[in-house]
Amino acid sequence: MIYQGKQKIWADYQKEIPDDHWYYVRSCIRQNFFPGSEKMFTKITRDDLGLDMHENAHHTTCGGIAYHCDTIPQETVMTIVARQFALMTEAGYENYCCSCITSFGNYIETLESWHEFPELEARIREHLWKSCKREFNKPKYIAHTSDVIYKHRNEIAEKAKFRLVDKNTGEPLRGVEHIGCHYNKMFPSKGVGGAEYPYVLCGMIESWGGQVIDYPERRHCCGYGFRQYHIKANRGYSFANTHKKFESMEPYHPDFILTNCPGCPYFLDRWQYVTAETEGKTYGRNGCGIPVFTYEELASLVLGYDPWDIGLQMHQVAVEPFLDRIGIEYDPGAKYLGVNKKDLGRPSLPEHMVCF
Amino acid sequence: MNLYEELCKDYRFREGLHTCINCGTCTAICPAAEFYRYDPRRIVDIVQRKNEDEIEALLKSDTIWYCGECMSCSTRCPRTNTPGLVIMALRAMSIRHGFFTASEKGRQVYPLTKLLTGNILNYGYCVYPETFKWEDHQESGPVFKWHLEHLKDDFERIGANYQGTGPGVLRRIPQEDRDELKAIFDETGATDQINLVERCSKAKAEEMGMTLEEYGKYTFEYNSGNDFDK
Ligand code: SF4
Ligand code: SF4
């Protein structure tokens, strides 16, 4: 396609995301904290969008978190990455789709380093052969799962049962987005909108009827910081950075937060709880927090899936006021039930943040 | 080979530092610099001065462990440096030389290594429910406490394949795949690094009058507060 004028400038920030046939790999953090999002990604892409999203049971962690906690050498993480590529090659795929921003950064860093230093690629191929007797082709394309949802956002809008609109006022709900640093800061050209105009999540919000609002610390890190969270003594770093974002977004009264990264929704959700319990301060309406969603959760909601089937009961910040504003129905009594309505008890309620 | 020459062998260092003009843009955008007494500009400057004593002091200091590896600094440097990559190379060297046990934040390499490499080799994941203890993570809130108390039931309700066979969320990663991860660790130096970290930490624990287990817990929890401006 030939672009001109402003379209040409904007084209530099676009990605030509392939149409179909993906080799899919999962995220460690999301499987632990947002298992419903992981389930819904394959369900939506396969059942609602009719895509070929292939998963192989033999894939593993990409090692990215251990690498960014400085506990394994660079050649180790690259060889784990090479093994994942070998599984993709053996399965007959060329388009690689990963469900994690840390992984996404890890895969891109690996490919870019190999491009820059071919002797490094040769060494990793040798490591992989010696350790696993495997060989691989490099993927033609690496997408993050949000890229795939972004590409099909308008199809999702066409199939949607709900829009991100207040059912009483008819006004669009106001969303802020959080991109996740390793999506677009390491290699800006690899993320939709680059580092300066991140659009992958904004595109979804707009397409599904909501309004994107900007705020000063929009691009600030969520505060994960790898060792700064995993080590208890350092967690103040994580909390302080999330806190800074909330103080910055507060005057703009967002109705929801949409996130890209596996860790970000966890930190933006849980550190609101900690702020409420330590300072008595909440950022949402009526003593609640601001609900934080993954893009699969938001897509699932507009498509009409049951909030408890997609795992929203695992959030600490209550989602019910948000569902009520859109008019999404749910059974409050079913929120914490197991399969076949098995009684699993209920979590205790926080002291300061209103939850249900 | 001196320390600077060794640093130049690390691809991350070669990618991360061209020439620094000391403008401080990286420090302005850095989340760690807002929280800690920390200045990535200074780290890059020390390294490019190539003074061996200064580099060694850096490798033994808390300073290199303050970075969150977010790579925000990569976006705005007018000389396309990435101080975060320089720091990754410095950390790797601090571990290789056993300098990491000289600082409070450096000593945290031991509990991190135990947790993360343990999760990878035992389960095939970096993070895994069996090793995410609520006592260590009370910030995860009452909802997560409830979830951890009903792991199997809750994962089943949400449609995960927790500890199951075949594909799916939190499936059991087959032994043969975990064996391949172990073979990769052996081949690429991760196993050697794990052993080195344990050896150095054990020596430091003895010096501090602790067992290795006590040392692991202590380094995971202890914060002297020395890393903030008072
Ligand atoms: S990677 Fe490290 S030095 Fe760079 S901005 Fe992030 S915390 Fe600061
Ligand atoms: S932004 Fe770049 S040139 Fe400026 S101080 Fe940091 S590393 Fe040096």
Side-chain angles (χ1 to χ4, degrees):
Chain A
M1 197 180 289
I2 298 167
Y3 297 108
Q4 290 183 326
K6 273 190 184 165
Q7 241 194 345
K8 181 173 181 312
I9 298 168
W10 182 235
D12 290 342
Y13 294 96
Q14 295 305 300
K15 301 209 295 188
E16 297 281 350
I17 302 162
D19 291 324
D20 201 358
H21 304 301
W22 296 100
Y23 183 82
Y24 168 68
V25 290
R26 294 189 181 276
S27 149
C28 299
I29 291 200
R30 275 154 54 93
Q31 290 179 88
N32 277 268
F33 299 103
F34 302 94
S37 296
E38 287 266 330
K39 177 188 75 177
M40 291 313 296
F41 180 77
T42 44
K43 186 159 179 55
I44 291 171
T45 51
R46 288 173 185 158
D47 299 353
D48 294 282
L49 302 171
L51 300 179
D52 170 17
M53 190 62 66
H54 179 82
E55 182 188 0
N56 177 329
H58 297 284
H59 81 276
T60 64
T61 177
C62 76
I65 293 175
Y67 174 56
H68 282 291
C69 284
D70 313 285
T71 63
I72 55 174
Q74 189 181 31
E75 292 195 8
T76 304
V77 79
M78 284 184 170
T79 311
I80 298 176
V81 164
R83 181 181 178 274
Q84 308 273 70
F85 290 163
L87 295 175
M88 176 202 75
T89 307
E90 289 159 21
Y93 285 81
E94 295 180 321
N95 297 327
Y96 194 87
C97 178
C98 62
S99 166
C100 170
I101 299 282
T102 303
S103 297
F104 181 73
N106 192 17
Y107 293 123
I108 304 279
E109 184 191 345
T110 297
L111 290 175
E112 294 288 313
S113 301
W114 290 352
H115 180 72
E116 192 84 3
F117 308 105
E119 77 280 9
L120 181 58
E121 178 183 337
R123 199 152 65 241
I124 300 300
R125 285 185 181 277
E126 206 181 311
H127 283 324
L128 185 68
W129 180 254
K130 280 194 187 154
S131 54
C132 306
K133 296 281 172 290
R134 292 183 192 270
E135 292 178 295
F136 66 94
N137 297 330
K138 288 184 272 188
K140 280 220 170 109
Y141 194 87
I142 301 231
H144 182 248
T145 36
S146 61
D147 295 333
V148 177
I149 299 289
Y150 168 81
K151 180 169 175 92
H152 296 277
R153 67 197 183 282
N154 294 330
E155 268 172 85
I156 290 172
E158 279 164 26
K159 293 174 196 284
K161 297 199 172 64
F162 299 99
R163 288 179 63 74
L164 301 173
V165 167
D166 186 315
K167 74 172 192 294
N168 293 319
T169 65
E171 294 289 321
L173 294 177
R174 295 156 57 81
V176 298
E177 49 85 273
H178 178 82
I179 283 296
C181 298
H182 288 196
Y183 176 72
N184 60 353
K185 287 180 181 171
M186 296 162 80
F187 299 97
S189 68
K190 305 293 178 189
V192 179
E196 304 299 341
Y197 309 104
Y199 193 66
V200 65
L201 300 175
C202 299
M204 296 181 207
I205 295 173
E206 286 171 3
S207 177
W208 303 338
Q211 181 193 354
V212 178
I213 51 174
D214 207 352
Y215 69 105
E217 295 298 345
R218 177 176 172 184
R219 294 173 187 82
H220 193 78
C221 172
C222 73
Y224 179 17
F226 300 98
R227 70 184 337 267
Q228 317 301 355
Y229 176 74
H230 288 293
I231 291 290
K232 195 175 190 175
N234 301 345
R235 254 168 236 162
Y237 171 110
S238 179
F239 175 62
N241 280 296
T242 310
H243 187 258
K244 181 184 168 86
K245 287 183 76 77
F246 277 100
E247 290 292 305
S248 169
M249 72 175 78
E250 185 182 21
Y252 303 89
H253 305 295
D255 297 312
F256 68 98
I257 301 168
L258 183 59
T259 56
N260 206 20
C261 192
C264 310
Y266 172 80
F267 297 114
L268 295 173
D269 182 82
R270 295 318 203 272
W271 291 130
Q272 281 193 82
Y273 154 74
V274 174
T275 306
E277 299 312 289
T278 54
E279 294 182 15
K281 179 165 186 180
T282 47
Y283 292 96
R285 297 178 172 202
N286 305 319
C288 291
I290 306 170
V292 189
F293 297 106
T294 68
Y295 42 91
E296 294 101 336
E297 288 171 346
L298 206 59
S300 303
L301 287 176
V302 299
L303 285 167
Y305 286 96
D306 184 294
W308 313 144
D309 286 348
I310 66 173
L312 296 189
Q313 61 274 42
M314 281 183 71
H315 292 211
Q316 185 61 58
V317 173
V319 297
E320 286 89 337
F322 177 83
L323 305 177
D324 293 340
R325 285 182 72 190
I326 299 180
I328 294 172
E329 289 185 2
Y330 56 91
D331 176 359
K335 185 171 182 182
Y336 298 110
L337 294 179
V339 170
N340 297 326
K341 301 198 173 12
K342 183 173 175 185
D343 183 4
L344 304 179
R346 312 173 55 85
S348 61
L349 292 174
E351 211 170 303
H352 293 288
M353 189 166 76
V354 175
C355 292
F356 305 97
Chain B
M1 188 167 30
N2 66 26
L3 292 172
Y4 184 79
E5 284 163 0
E6 189 182 329
L7 206 49
C8 290
K9 287 179 67 184
D10 193 307
Y11 293 100
R12 293 166 294 193
F13 183 72
R14 281 147 72 177
E15 288 281 275
L17 180 57
H18 310 289
T19 302
C20 167
I21 55 168
N22 250 301
C23 67
T25 307
C26 52
T27 305
I29 204 174
C30 171
E34 283 193 50
F35 185 68
Y36 286 127
R37 194 193 293 131
Y38 173 71
D39 183 350
R41 176 198 60 83
R42 234 185 97 59
I43 293 182
V44 170
D45 195 40
I46 288 173
V47 171
Q48 76 172 358
R49 283 208 299 266
K50 304 182 190 174
N51 179 314
E52 287 290 299
D53 293 340
E54 279 188 311
I55 294 176
E56 185 173 326
L58 196 58
L59 296 176
K60 290 179 174 167
S61 73
D62 281 314
T63 312
I64 55 168
W65 304 103
Y66 292 148
C67 163
E69 297 192 12
C70 66
M71 304 301 157
S72 300
C73 47
S74 155
T75 54
R76 300 279 167 80
C77 172
R79 287 294 177 268
T80 65
N81 299 324
T82 304
L85 285 175
V86 174
I87 284 150
M88 289 175 82
L90 287 166
R91 287 175 174 183
M93 199 153 87
S94 176
I95 292 171
R96 270 200 307 276
H97 287 264
F99 291 154
F100 67 101
T101 59
S103 70
E104 177 185 327
K105 297 291 176 192
R107 288 192 279 276
Q108 296 168 342
V109 169
Y110 175 66
L112 280 168
T113 300
K114 225 172 137 45
L115 175 73
L116 293 160
T117 61
N119 281 345
I120 293 179
L121 295 173
N122 294 328
Y123 305 107
Y125 296 91
C126 274
V127 180
Y128 197 68
E130 308 289 313
T131 59
F132 190 92
K133 300 282 176 230
W134 193 79
E135 308 80 78
D136 291 334
H137 288 280
Q138 297 195 18
E139 76 288 346
S140 66
V143 159
F144 213 68
K145 182 171 191 281
W146 167 83
H147 167 73
L148 291 170
E149 286 163 357
H150 301 90
L151 265 185
K152 287 214 163 79
D153 281 319
D154 201 33
F155 276 135
E156 188 188 0
R157 165 68 185 95
I158 297 169
N161 184 19
Y162 181 47
Q163 299 184 334
T165 52
V169 178
L170 280 177
R171 72 216 175 277
R172 182 187 298 281
I173 292 180
Q175 183 64 47
E176 72 228 51
D177 301 311
R178 284 180 279 140
D179 289 344
E180 287 191 28
L181 289 175
K182 176 71 171 78
I184 290 174
F185 270 46
D186 291 347
E187 163 70 21
T188 57
T191 306
D192 290 342
Q193 181 172 323
I194 293 167
N195 293 336
L196 172 76
V197 165
E198 177 151 343
R199 235 179 11 253
C200 297
S201 303
K202 203 157 176 242
K204 190 69 193 178
E206 272 167 26
E207 191 189 312
M208 292 169 76
M210 296 179 195
T211 65
L212 194 55
E213 200 181 328
E214 288 164 347
Y215 176 87
K217 189 168 159 48
Y218 176 80
T219 50
F220 178 71
E221 291 179 349
Y222 178 70
N223 186 335
S224 65
N226 288 341
D227 29 44
F228 305 103
D229 287 322
K230 297 257 167 62

